[in-house]
Amino acid sequence: LTGGKLVTEGEGSPCIYSTGDISATDVVGVAYGSEIAVVEGKNSIALERADLTGRERNGVMLYQSFSGDADVGTAKFSAKDSKLTNESGGAMFYATNTKAEITLEATALSSPDAQPLLRAAADRWGQSGKNGGDVTLTATRQTLNGDVCADNLSAVTLNLCDGSRWTGALNAEATAKSASVRLAKTATWTMTADAHVDAIADEAADFSNIDSNGFSIYYNKEKNPALNGSAYPLPGDGTLAPQE
């Protein structure tokens, strides 16, 4: 789709719902009763220079319903040079019952205060006990605000690439099945709570691109052998320390 205005009114009717591979460039849209966009199963949405708004449930959802119209696989969503506005009471990005990849570049994100940037969790779809989300968010030249969180059936990975800035907490409640973060040397993370991570990788060997604000990052010793099970000071009087 190139150009055009997308307007939907009903529940379950996002601006774009994908059970295939959809690309949209130079589109403007509002979903008054639903999300900005939804990707189901092994399918994708790629946006460029789009300006889309969703007003209910979450901002962008990636999931698998097992209704038969989407193969099982990795759900993919990307946005470049775009604007995404989440006016719902939910997360900017929400993944459940699927593996998912979110790729952002130079895209303006707007969401209500206190709502997560990314949430992965079990929901009403799939087999109970096996229906969490497994989602990776990769950001380049991107400003991000909000927490990244998951339940005990779900995994989250945040890749902060060149020029990205994130303010938020990662797995603050230590509920995630797995939580990881990777930072490029030119990326920054401003912490807003303690973080609990399975793996952390930072191109800045002195962690100078992390502003701890007095909070600590607790890491898994077995999955971070390069850290030698030691504690390290972080800028802002916090600490990178092994999880006891």
Side-chain angles (χ1 to χ4, degrees):
L1 175 65
T2 302
K5 185 176 182 180
L6 313 174
V7 179
T8 68
E9 298 282 351
E11 182 181 354
S13 299
C15 292
I16 302 174
Y17 189 107
S18 175
T19 55
D21 295 319
I22 297 175
S23 61
T25 304
D26 296 317
V27 296
V28 177
V30 180
Y32 287 98
S34 189
E35 297 91 345
I36 296 166
V38 174
V39 181
E40 183 174 357
K42 190 181 178 181
N43 296 298
S44 67
I45 292 175
L47 304 178
E48 188 164 359
R49 297 190 303 276
D51 184 350
L52 301 178
T53 299
R55 293 190 171 177
E56 295 294 337
R57 295 185 180 273
N58 295 283
V60 174
M61 184 170 77
L62 303 102
Y63 84 124
Q64 172 59 262
S65 72
F66 291 128
S67 62
D69 56 358
D71 291 339
V72 175
T74 302
K76 297 181 179 181
F77 175 88
S78 67
K80 180 179 180 182
D81 298 325
S82 295
K83 180 180 179 181
L84 305 178
T85 303
N86 170 31
E87 296 181 353
S88 77
M92 184 74 229
F93 298 99
Y94 177 54
T96 181
N97 197 39
T98 192
K99 187 173 182 178
E101 295 177 358
I102 300 164
T103 304
L104 303 172
E105 182 174 355
T107 288
L109 304 177
S110 177
S111 202
D113 290 343
Q115 294 305 321
L117 168 67
L118 171 63
R119 183 164 71 95
D123 209 314
R124 62 187 178 91
W125 301 279
Q127 182 181 346
S128 180
K130 297 182 179 180
N131 58 342
D134 182 351
V135 57
T136 298
L137 190 158
T138 300
T140 302
R141 297 188 298 117
Q142 185 68 46
T143 298
L144 303 169
N145 292 285
D147 296 347
V148 174
C149 52
D151 67 8
N152 63 354
L153 298 177
S154 302
V156 288
T157 297
L158 185 59
N159 296 322
L160 298 173
C161 301
D162 291 343
S164 288
R165 298 175 296 171
W166 173 43
T167 300
L170 175 59
N171 192 28
E173 303 298 324
T175 54
K177 179 180 178 181
S178 174
S180 301
V181 61
R182 298 177 179 88
L183 294 92
K185 195 169 186 178
T186 58
T188 62
W189 175 13
T190 301
M191 297 175 63
T192 58
D194 287 344
H196 301 266
V197 301
D198 285 81
I200 179 169
D202 192 346
E203 289 182 357
D206 59 356
F207 307 107
S208 57
N209 52 2
I210 299 176
D211 181 358
S212 69
N213 278 321
F215 297 109
S216 294
I217 302 172
Y218 298 99
Y219 69 89
N220 184 312
K221 288 187 286 187
E222 293 180 357
K223 296 183 179 180
N224 297 272
L227 297 177
N228 297 314
S230 300
Y232 303 85
L234 293 173
D237 296 323
T239 305
L240 175 65
Q243 184 77 55
E244 298 298 335

